[in-house]
Amino acid sequence: MIKTVATEPYLDQKPGTSGLRKKVRVFQQPHYAENFVQSVFDALGDEKTGQTLVIGGDGRFLNREVIQVAIRMAAANGFARVVVGQGGILSTPAASNVIRQRGALGGLVLSASHNPGGPDEDFGIKYNISNGGPAPEKVTDAIHANTKSISRWLTVEADDINLDTLGEVTVGGMTVEVIDSVADYAALMESLFDFAAIKRAVEGGFTMSFDAMSAVTGPYATEILEKRLGFAPGTVKNGTPLPDFGGHHPDPNLVHAKELYDRMMAPDAPDFGAASDGDGDRNLIIGRGRFITPSDSLAMLAANAHLAPAYAGGLKGIARSMPTSAAADRVAEKLGIPAYETPTGWKFFGNLLDAGMATICGEESAGTGSDHVREKDGLWAVLLWLNILAASGKSVDGIARDHWATYGRNYYARHDYEGVESERADALMADLRAKLLTLPGETFAGLTVETADDFAYTDPTDQSVSRNQGIRVLFQGGSRVVFRLSGTGTSGATLRVYLERYSADQLDRETPEMLADIIAAADEIAGITQHTGRTEPDVVT
Ligand code: G1P
Ligand code: ZN
């Protein structure tokens, strides 16, 4: 019954990542997806026998095909049950929730997050463990080693299952259960937030616009926002997940969600605007006439979280990734709770959440979440904002202004230089590292460097150390620039430059104006133009 298929290793999975993200054409090569899935299953050893595996994805091109392959392979590898979202759909936070609620050993999440989809675009597979979060390094290292030595993969002879019909079927002796993609997640959200208060606000005329970007959150947002909370039909835009996201880039930032931004800046804008990415873990928050940076959103959500039932008892701690602005730290200080600064990537938050050390986490890249799952969660952030707005009766702009008046304002921007030749990007970082020790005391564009280092993190839960997590340059007076290379791109290198300036009293200035000297200093310090040949970033967020 179990079929053994001979294969050869491929060598190009990035070590240290919890998954594999490549062009669709690469994934379509014979044995390619199979090699990775088998490498994951082999890394789990005998532990998987008799266990449950969750499978779901963001609906992008190749989603259904890879799910069918993975189901047959799971049967051959000894799993007792696969739980799969209807139509192959599970948003990343919903998958995290299903893994936790079902007591599954783990899950395969099929997505390339906010990267475009379609035959010429990106696809990805990642493995999440039983806490619902991305696999830790111990597991990803084992997976990576397996991809280099794999010689066979296992499957069973069985037809494709009908992914669209709810219920149970058997594949090679294993049970496959097709579940409603939305129900469990919507119930979880309803348990965290004051839906009645939000509903009352909607009945009182509160309006919003949600752009699902033709990606996975469409069905979730339609069920929760329109059906349960009573927002008008049409509140959810681009609500049908499409294999190519309608040809758009499902990244909820000011470039790719420009239509939403323009709507929110118009005189007749709704009260609240939001968007989520390909797999539903990121969020964009815009009030009428007021964009909220993700770093500010984290701080404002943390400061007001007590207005939502799930967080009424207070927060245990707040965690942010290092490049995220320090706005959240000020909230933690005021609340008298710990603030954690972790390397980029959600997996570092997982340990803090599991240990009960932090309740709310966030990244400047529009990921925000809490201990309700072990992934960042786009709709969760939207609902917490809605809960706060409904409970406080304030506008988004009002929340922001009150927050800055209390804590001061962290002006913030990220500049991305995309598709840089890898050698040139590596040379820029190497040059920076080489001169780190000489930077303190030097002046660039009128700013004097106070400290400069290559961020290293010791995880307080297991003392593991992660080095080389980004170059931080702190200027006298509290401004900062951070340089790091993206770990998620699929072609060339992306240089990310994170710019931040704190002001206690200038609360109503324009961000570019406030950051101008830091931008100039960043170029002088790193030689961005000289190394990359670029005079302008490709994306400013
Ligand atoms: C990017 C973001 C990072 C996020 C990751 C996964 O990684 O910057 O915050 O955790 O995507 O969504 P990067 O490309 O910068 O390595
Ligand atoms: Zn994502």
Side-chain angles (χ1 to χ4, degrees), residues 113-114 277 279 281-282:
S113 188
H114 50 287
D277 72 329
D279 62 330
D281 57 359
R282 294 187 178 201

Side-chain angles (χ1 to χ4, degrees), residues 255-289:
V255 178
H256 299 301
K258 176 129 192 340
E259 226 173 88
L260 175 70
Y261 179 81
D262 290 343
R263 198 176 307 139
M264 294 309 299
M265 296 302 138
D268 60 346
D271 294 295
F272 186 66
S276 191
D277 72 329
D279 62 330
D281 57 359
R282 294 187 178 201
N283 69 87
L284 171 69
I285 302 294
I286 315 179
R288 179 187 296 130

Side-chain angles (χ1 to χ4, degrees), residues 491-505:
S491 54
T494 296
L495 170 69
R496 303 204 196 283
V497 183
Y498 309 82
L499 307 141
E500 177 178 358
R501 172 165 175 188
Y502 175 73
S503 175
D505 48 13

